[in-house]
Amino acid sequence: MLTSIEKLTKFLLLEIDRQFDNRSVFGGFENISEGWKQEAIIQNVPGELITEVCGVFSNYYMMEVSDRRKSIKKILISLQNSGNLILPNQSKYVEFTINNQIQGEKNRNSTSGDSTAATSLKQFDLEQALSNPVTKIPGIGNFRAEALSRLGISTIKDLIYHFPRKHEDFSNLTPIGKLNFSDKVSIAATIKSIFTRNIKGGKQKITELILEDDTGNLRVTFFNQPFLERSLKPGLRIMVSGIVEMYAGRYVLTNPEWIELNKGGINLNRLFPYYPLTKNITQKWLRETISKQINLWVPKINDFFSFEFLSKANILDLPTALRNIHFPESLELKKQSEERFSFQDTFFLHLAMLQQKKNWQKESAKIIKFDDNLFEQLSNSLPYQLTNAQKRSIFDIQNDMASGVPMSRLIQGDVGSGKTIVAAMSIAATIKNGYQSVVMAPTGILAEQLYTSIRSFLLTNKIISAGEISYLSGTTSEKEKILIKEGLKSGLIKVAVGTHALIEDPVEFKNLEFVVIDEQHRFGVMQRKKIRVKGPSSHLLVMTATPIPRTLALTIFGDLDLTVIDEIPPGRKEIKTNVINPQKRSDAYKFIHKIVDEGSQVFIVYPLIESEDGETNESNAAVNAFNHLKKEVFPGLSIGLLHGRLKPDEKEKVMLNFRNGFYQILVTTTVVEVGVDVSNATMMMIEGANRFGLSQLHQLRGRVGRGIKQSYCFLVPENEDAVENERLKAMIGTSDGFKLAEIDLSQRGPGDFIGIRQSGYKEIRFSNIMNVKLIEKARALAKEVINDDPNFINEESHLYKIIMSDYLQKMIGEKT
Ligand code: ADP
Ligand code: MG
């Protein structure tokens, strides 16, 4: 329990942080005045102090900000003078507590005055200063500012947070006389000569430098950088770093990294940063500019994590991390700095997710009970046995829906793992409890597919009658829409299946208590939020076939509880997968002919819609290939063309034509990847297969193998070398989506994950996403913060709230 004095101090400091908006306590200071007074009297707080505080509290809401500021300062000084001030050790409050007289003397006595001025800079003033445009920096005018803006840098803070793409280690210098072939070396030497000449008939330029130190000469060549002649003059001392090559029997360095050694001497034990650049910004200029700003601002920056927090998280403090991410004192510190920023990103993302979850859980929800007999009856009606994983999912849902708190659950199960029936059974329970359900899918075709199977399941089991389920999409006629809307409002319709037009249109429900979203990877955090705003108290079930490794799932879907269906129904035929040499494409075409003759259908997938350079390219662009295949390869067959540039209703039409068997072959791009079910399609050929991530290939492959016939998948890389590609071979070896996702993640990083790209995280530095420990640590600490202080009232967590909001804006373009 805090004493009344401790509480007072806390409120006042918070109020300072909040810029005196009278919102550091619920209802404003006027509201707590009386309560605080009672407590203070009991605790023997001096009467004068109580009078002063209550006087301020009861009038605070009427005061101007400047007066609020003065009053708070006065109370703090009174507290200090009466020996009652227990301050957190934070310099930002200094100016509020040192009394005027002492402060005045200090100013007079100090000669330079800069150090106290620097440390007493309030957090707010600091943020203000850092948010100044870069043009405030001496030497940066509009010309440079414009160039910097292309790098996403507009403020001083942006500049400080423009992190290097790499560091070069110049710490171990090798004398020229001691070089060895293929060593990676750094050399400090003087430029003896520099000369640029044309090669390849003037198409390219080569700049040659001769460097000299006490032990010998070395040739250094740069290709196509003739402008170097402007900065690299004979007589200048530089350091170069690169790999020793051999040319015409002599050692050379080609396109090495280099820096100038100033006359003042430079600390040689250094890792030098190399930044992403743009036109009119040179490495040297940017490095020096950033270095100056770091030296100027970092000593003034306070960490928003407390000392205790830093040691609990075992991460570097912000000033040290900022300095070392640019100019590391050692490789170890560089690594720790990167970790600090990864931690920070992850922590705030999780904090946001957990807060969202907490907000949802504040609502109470209708209790929906699953009847054991009903469950038994429904299970018995199926032509198969539910897998254990399916049963477990239903069990999880059952618990959630009976809890009285809105469910927020993600079911993650590979293509074909049988998610639909899990949703359908939960819908049946909802109807039996007297409530409505909604099911949404990202496209009309998917929605229709769901509609058909859910409808037939519910009708067979006499859960509903034919008029009690409806399908609603963008193409539903106006007249029908009106009828459906009336039915939903009156409660006549118990289940609506459709596209997300269902939540975007103003549709009213009698008692919607269960919302299902299928193929979630097309929806992001914001969509989930939107749905929650529409129905804050309904139970939400989200389903996805994107096999995202658990750590990543925790980050992207951290606001949801997770159930994984890790079991595919038994008896599925494996899809025979092969990597095809592009030279042998005609064999594959022959095979396709055979498949089509047997009455099956074929997908041919291309990485691009249309060849970008206008050159005909039949092997990587759908439109070009379509024309070629139609004329030259399969002249007698009916071929459809599907890609992302078609309008939604055109896409639907092509897809329907294919599903209804009108086309024998569908030439397409990855738009086809989401759960479409065409059981007669038994063959998929994927061109440019080396361009796709494994997860994506797996998703694509899941379009076939949906019927009883043997299915095939041919992967055709762009060139022969890629035939031996290990990644593609993994596709032959396994049909486990999670395994493939792990391989993908470890080899290509998270950028390729459909889940991430499509859920719209723009800026997060996912460099450490593989660091499971870091993610778990960040999540655990975020959980602690949310549990200890759910409303972000404490000084520290209040600051988190502000930062979190900034983060969300950067990452998903929206403030919380
Ligand atoms: P997805 O998880 O990709 O949405 P579906 O729900 O569409 O998968 O199920 C794919 C197919 O598997 C459907 O034809 C469905 O009837 C069937 N299925 C579902 N569960 C089982 C099971 N336990 N045993 C056999 N077949 C099943
Ligand atoms: Mg599905």
Side-chain angles (χ1 to χ4, degrees):
M1 266 284 286
L2 295 179
T3 66
S4 53
I5 291 284
E6 284 168 340
K7 274 189 202 160
L8 176 67
T9 313
K10 194 167 115 188
F11 295 154
L12 295 181
L13 297 183
L14 189 53
E15 189 63 12
I16 294 170
D17 280 338
R18 295 193 55 98
Q19 308 292 307
F20 315 96
D21 66 358
N22 197 22
R23 290 175 71 177
S24 50
V25 296
F26 187 70
F29 279 145
E30 67 273 24
N31 209 25
I32 61 156
S33 181
E34 201 49 41
W36 185 82
K37 188 174 163 185
Q38 296 303 327
E39 219 181 315
I41 291 171
I42 294 169
Q43 292 173 0
N44 249 339
V45 173
E48 289 158 29
L49 188 61
I50 297 182
T51 316
E52 186 189 355
V53 170
C54 289
V56 171
F57 274 5
S58 31
N59 293 312
Y60 195 77
Y61 71 101
M62 295 183 289
M63 293 182 195
E64 301 274 5
V65 165
S66 60
D67 287 327
R68 289 179 173 181
R69 188 188 174 96
K70 270 187 217 145
S71 310
I72 287 188
K73 186 167 175 172
K74 250 181 93 201
I75 299 178
L76 284 172
I77 288 169
S78 303
L79 280 172
Q80 191 182 34
N81 291 344
S82 60
N84 275 313
L85 188 61
I86 309 144
L87 259 195
N89 192 14
Q90 288 216 18
S91 49
K92 60 184 178 174
Y93 301 117
V94 164
E95 69 140 320
F96 284 91
T97 51
I98 294 171
N99 81 40
N100 294 334
Q101 197 193 340
I102 303 173
Q103 182 75 58
E105 268 172 30
K106 247 199 184 149
N107 283 349
R108 245 173 284 130
N109 291 346
S110 79
T111 40
S112 66
D114 52 351
S115 70
T116 40
T119 45
S120 67
L121 243 185
K122 288 195 297 112
Q123 192 72 19
F124 174 69
D125 294 339
L126 181 71
E127 282 298 318
Q128 286 281 82
L130 290 176
S131 65
N132 271 318
V134 284
T135 45
K136 291 268 163 158
I137 300 171
I140 299 190
N142 290 337
F143 175 73
R144 294 272 197 211
E146 203 198 301
L148 285 172
S149 76
R150 281 197 300 271
L151 292 169
I153 300 172
S154 56
T155 65
I156 298 177
K157 190 169 181 176
D158 295 338
L159 194 61
I160 294 177
Y161 280 84
H162 184 66
F163 293 164
R165 63 183 163 83
K166 66 162 186 180
H167 287 88
E168 274 304 323
D169 188 352
F170 287 98
S171 54
N172 286 318
L173 293 178
T174 311
I176 290 175
K178 291 263 167 71
L179 297 180
N180 287 313
F181 178 67
S182 86
D183 278 357
K184 186 168 190 315
V185 293
S186 299
I187 296 156
T190 308
I191 300 176
K192 204 172 158 194
S193 67
I194 179 163
F195 176 67
T196 299
R197 60 192 165 85
N198 293 330
I199 52 169
K200 299 202 173 164
K203 272 194 196 149
Q204 293 192 7
K205 285 182 194 312
I206 184 168
T207 302
E208 278 189 352
L209 222 65
I210 304 294
L211 293 183
E212 182 177 45
D213 72 4
D214 298 343
T215 62
N217 290 346
L218 174 70
R219 188 150 50 138
V220 173
T221 45
F222 291 97
F223 287 94
N224 295 319
Q225 302 181 49
F227 49 84
L228 286 177
E229 286 218 42
R230 267 181 272 145
S231 24
L232 297 177
K233 303 276 186 211
L236 189 76
R237 272 179 66 72
I238 62 171
M239 273 201 298
V240 292
S241 171
I243 292 178
V244 182
E245 295 169 6
M246 190 78 99
Y247 183 77
R250 287 209 223 155
Y251 290 149
V252 287
L253 293 185
T254 309
N255 293 333
E257 298 293 354
W258 64 275
I259 52 168
E260 188 184 320
L261 294 172
N262 327 51
K263 284 158 234 100
I266 198 157
N267 182 3
L268 289 186
N269 275 325
R270 265 284 183 75
L271 291 156
F272 275 79
Y274 285 80
Y275 295 96
L277 296 178
T278 181
K279 209 174 147 222
N280 297 328
I281 299 287
T282 64
Q283 200 55 260
K284 181 166 177 269
W285 181 85
L286 191 58
R287 190 183 289 131
E288 280 167 11
T289 306
I290 290 179
S291 164
K292 270 188 206 142
Q293 295 307 308
I294 290 282
N295 287 333
L296 184 64
W297 293 108
V298 163
K300 297 169 192 157
I301 288 175
N302 273 324
D303 202 335
F304 37 79
F305 291 136
S306 69
F307 183 72
E308 292 82 34
F309 188 95
L310 292 175
S311 61
K312 225 188 312 181
N314 193 19
I315 50 169
L316 280 187
D317 63 282
L318 183 58
T320 310
L322 268 176
R323 197 177 276 288
N324 281 283
I325 199 138
H326 290 282
F327 305 100
E329 280 162 41
S330 66
L331 274 174
E332 181 53 29
L333 272 168
K334 168 180 136 90
K335 198 177 130 245
Q336 286 178 17
S337 307
E338 286 166 358
E339 218 172 279
R340 146 86 203 206
F341 289 107
S342 294
F343 173 89
Q344 182 177 322
D345 292 346
T346 315
F347 173 81
F348 284 110
L349 184 59
H350 281 254
L351 199 62
M353 293 286 185
L354 291 168
Q355 195 210 9
Q356 181 140 312
K357 189 167 174 182
K358 193 118 193 164
N359 283 340
W360 291 348
Q361 287 175 341
K362 271 191 212 146
E363 303 281 337
S364 60
K366 290 282 183 312
I367 292 177
I368 292 172
K369 289 216 172 87
F370 285 42
D371 180 339
D372 286 348
N373 292 332
L374 172 72
F375 183 73
E376 182 100 19
Q377 179 211 322
L378 294 177
S379 306
N380 289 339
S381 79
L382 296 172
Y384 49 77
Q385 288 252 312
L386 289 175
T387 62
N388 285 329
Q390 284 171 316
K391 285 186 197 154
R392 216 177 41 238
S393 311
I394 293 170
F395 181 74
D396 284 347
I397 295 170
Q398 185 175 358
N399 278 339
D400 289 350
M401 291 184 56
S403 71
V405 170
M407 166 168 75
S408 303
R409 184 164 295 279
L410 174 71
I411 302 263
Q412 199 186 23
D414 212 341
V415 206
S417 60
K419 296 181 291 294
T420 315
I421 191 65
V422 171
M425 286 199 157
S426 313
I427 292 169
T430 308
I431 296 169
K432 282 286 180 191
N433 280 257
Y435 303 116
Q436 291 170 301
S437 307
V438 147
V439 184
M440 276 179 289
T443 69
I445 292 182
L446 284 175
E448 207 195 300
Q449 225 166 257
L450 276 173
Y451 172 71
T452 311
S453 50
I454 292 173
R455 181 186 150 96
S456 107
F457 174 76
L458 294 176
L459 285 180
T460 310
N461 286 290
K462 304 205 162 51
I463 305 290
I464 51 167
S465 59
E468 292 177 329
I469 182 165
S470 295
Y471 172 71
L472 191 115
S473 78
T475 56
T476 311
S477 73
E478 279 309 311
K479 213 168 115 194
E480 209 177 331
K481 254 190 205 162
I482 292 172
L483 273 177
I484 295 174
K485 283 185 185 177
E486 272 170 13
L488 288 171
K489 197 174 168 185
S490 71
L492 209 72
I493 297 175
K494 307 264 167 60
V495 185
V497 184
T499 56
H500 47 282
L502 261 174
I503 49 154
E504 257 136 40
D505 282 1
V507 181
E508 279 179 68
F509 294 87
K510 179 165 179 246
N511 55 12
L512 174 65
E513 298 300 339
F514 184 37
V515 177
V516 181
I517 305 177
D518 199 12
E519 301 303 345
Q520 153 78 30
H521 65 268
R522 289 285 190 91
F523 298 93
V525 194
M526 289 335 285
Q527 275 83 2
R528 291 202 287 278
K529 223 175 142 184
K530 216 172 184 173
I531 288 158
R532 275 292 182 216
V533 171
K534 288 259 172 176
S537 64
S538 48
H539 297 287
L540 177 65
L541 179 66
V542 170
M543 305 197 289
T544 179
T546 318
I548 300 171
R550 190 175 174 83
T551 46
L552 202 51
L554 273 180
T555 305
I556 301 173
F557 298 119
D559 50 344
L560 306 172
D561 295 310
L562 181 63
T563 302
V564 179
I565 302 193
D566 49 3
E567 210 178 336
I568 292 282
R572 286 275 157 79
K573 277 214 174 99
E574 200 183 317
I575 300 165
K576 286 197 176 144
T577 303
N578 267 315
V579 179
I580 305 286
N581 187 325
Q583 305 293 341
K584 304 245 169 83
R585 196 178 271 115
S586 56
D587 291 351
Y589 289 151
K590 261 185 222 147
F591 192 79
I592 291 177
H593 266 297
K594 186 174 146 257
I595 292 272
V596 171
D597 284 345
E598 288 167 5
S600 297
Q601 289 164 284
V602 177
F603 292 101
I604 307 182
V605 184
Y606 293 86
L608 305 174
I609 298 180
E610 202 159 6
S611 164
E612 285 138 350
D613 46 17
E615 234 172 77
T616 35
N617 192 340
E618 294 99 31
S619 63
N620 65 14
V623 174
N624 311 61
F626 174 71
N627 295 324
H628 170 71
L629 292 175
K630 236 171 108 148
K631 276 194 222 125
E632 320 280 336
V633 188
F634 305 111
L637 302 184
S638 168
I639 306 181
L641 174 66
L642 181 74
H643 57 72
R645 259 192 249 141
L646 300 180
K647 294 201 191 82
D649 52 334
E650 292 173 330
K651 263 190 252 171
E652 297 260 4
K653 212 169 99 193
V654 175
M655 214 41 235
L656 276 176
N657 278 337
F658 185 63
R659 202 184 62 186
N660 297 338
F662 179 73
Y663 297 130
Q664 285 137 331
I665 296 176
L666 186 66
V667 170
T668 177
T669 59
T670 55
V671 287
V672 79
E673 78 192 338
V674 194
V676 188
D677 215 347
V678 183
S679 55
N680 193 43
T682 60
M683 155 100 202
M684 175 174 279
M685 172 157 147
I686 304 176
E687 290 279 0
N690 53 304
R691 291 195 182 210
F692 295 102
L694 290 180
S695 297
Q696 209 173 7
L697 288 174
H698 177 71
Q699 290 280 310
L700 286 168
R701 181 170 62 178
R703 297 307 109 229
V704 295
R706 305 210 134 214
I708 37 171
K709 285 193 246 178
Q710 176 62 52
S711 289
Y712 304 89
C713 177
F714 287 177
L715 305 169
V716 192
E718 281 169 311
N719 48 53
E720 254 175 294
D721 306 344
V723 173
E724 290 304 308
N725 189 314
E726 287 303 317
R727 282 186 333 109
L728 293 184
K729 281 195 171 158
M731 288 293 295
I732 304 178
T734 179
S735 55
D736 180 337
F738 284 92
K739 232 182 239 158
L740 292 169
E742 298 279 0
I743 299 175
D744 234 7
L745 189 61
S746 65
Q747 290 186 350
R748 315 216 317 178
D752 281 323
F753 273 91
I754 313 164
I756 290 193
R757 232 185 306 127
Q758 297 189 348
S759 57
Y761 297 106
K762 292 190 210 98
E763 289 227 353
I764 191 158
R765 292 171 287 247
F766 266 110
S767 58
N768 256 320
I769 199 74
M770 279 306 284
N771 191 336
V772 180
K773 271 205 187 120
L774 183 135
I775 292 172
E776 279 168 0
K777 190 165 67 181
R779 186 167 176 88
L781 285 168
K783 250 186 188 152
E784 241 175 65
V785 168
I786 292 268
N787 289 339
D788 291 352
D789 186 12
N791 299 317
F792 298 97
I793 287 180
N794 296 337
E795 186 192 321
E796 193 172 332
S797 45
H798 181 70
L799 211 53
Y800 295 166
K801 191 176 172 176
I802 298 168
I803 298 166
M804 183 171 77
S805 167
D806 267 6
Y807 256 90
L808 281 187
Q809 180 157 44
K810 265 208 210 116
M811 286 186 300
I812 53 184
E814 201 154 322
K815 282 237 177 203
T816 47

